[in-house]
Amino acid sequence: MRQFKSANADWKKRKPIKGILRAEVRLMKPKAVRAYTDADDVSGQIADLLKDSRNIFLDTFTQIIPFGDFYKKDKAVKIIRKEVADSIMRRRMLRLLVLIPEKKSLRLAQKAMNCRSMEKIMDSFAKINLSPVTISKRHDVKYLECLYAYLLDEE
């Protein structure tokens, strides 16, 4: 972006590109590669990973990006209070909503909660089709559809 800014003085006048989302998953450690392939040689591992690349991507992506629609924080709180009947689960879900912006990461927020039933909490978010990751106050967007709707439509 820096090169583009210096090369073209009217970069502020350009509209941002819409409609393209790029997501990348990298299997960095040998243990992660071995989880998806039994081949010993590198060429066999690459071949196995290429064959099953879509499933590997979705498997890893679901651990990073939760299922559900994205809302502003206040709207997400209203949805949780309306949809979740169990008071303990509702309290845990609201706590996670508060921790994510503080910790700047879903994974770090989950660790900070120190809760054994994190899978149940994430399942509860998925049941009400709400992502615990909320949209920032600074953005004009108030709602984003679940990313998986776009990824799974192409199948």
Side-chain angles (χ1 to χ4, degrees):
M1 188 68 176
R2 180 176 289 159
Q3 290 175 343
F4 180 74
K5 287 180 185 179
S6 62
N8 193 349
D10 63 341
W11 64 272
K12 290 183 180 179
K13 295 178 185 176
R14 296 185 187 266
K15 293 182 180 179
I17 296 173
K18 292 184 180 182
I20 297 174
L21 173 67
R22 181 170 184 253
E24 179 178 309
V25 171
R26 297 171 81 189
L27 301 176
M28 300 293 289
K29 303 201 180 220
K31 183 178 178 182
V33 173
R34 284 192 304 268
Y36 294 106
T37 180
D38 293 329
D40 293 328
D41 60 326
V42 175
S43 60
Q45 289 175 344
I46 291 172
D48 287 349
L49 294 174
L50 282 174
K51 287 178 195 168
D52 202 26
S53 62
R54 184 172 183 84
N55 290 333
I56 293 169
F57 172 79
L58 285 174
D59 185 38
T60 309
F61 196 70
T62 54
Q63 294 174 12
I64 301 165
I65 306 293
F67 185 84
D69 295 338
F70 297 85
Y71 293 92
K72 297 274 188 180
K73 188 175 177 181
D74 57 342
K75 177 72 173 175
V77 168
K78 287 179 186 175
I79 292 171
I80 291 171
R81 288 194 172 135
K82 180 183 172 192
E83 298 289 330
V84 181
D86 182 10
S87 63
I88 295 170
M89 183 59 70
R90 183 172 53 241
R91 188 179 67 228
R92 289 178 180 165
M93 291 170 76
L94 292 171
R95 177 74 181 133
L96 186 60
L97 277 184
V98 170
L99 280 174
I100 290 173
E102 285 177 18
K103 301 294 181 181
K104 308 283 191 240
S105 160
L106 174 62
R107 189 172 145 269
L108 293 176
Q110 289 173 336
K111 276 186 168 182
M113 280 188 68
N114 200 18
C115 181
R116 290 186 206 142
S117 59
M118 192 51 65
E119 286 296 319
K120 290 181 183 177
I121 295 171
M122 297 308 292
D123 288 343
S124 296
F125 275 107
K127 283 178 188 171
I128 61 173
N129 197 28
L130 174 69
S131 174
V133 179
T134 56
I135 301 170
S136 173
K137 293 178 188 176
R138 291 170 282 183
H139 292 67
D140 294 332
V141 178
K142 293 182 181 178
Y143 167 80
L144 288 173
E145 188 178 3
C146 178
L147 292 175
Y148 296 102
Y150 300 107
L151 293 174
L152 299 175
D153 278 348
E154 294 177 6
E155 288 182 347

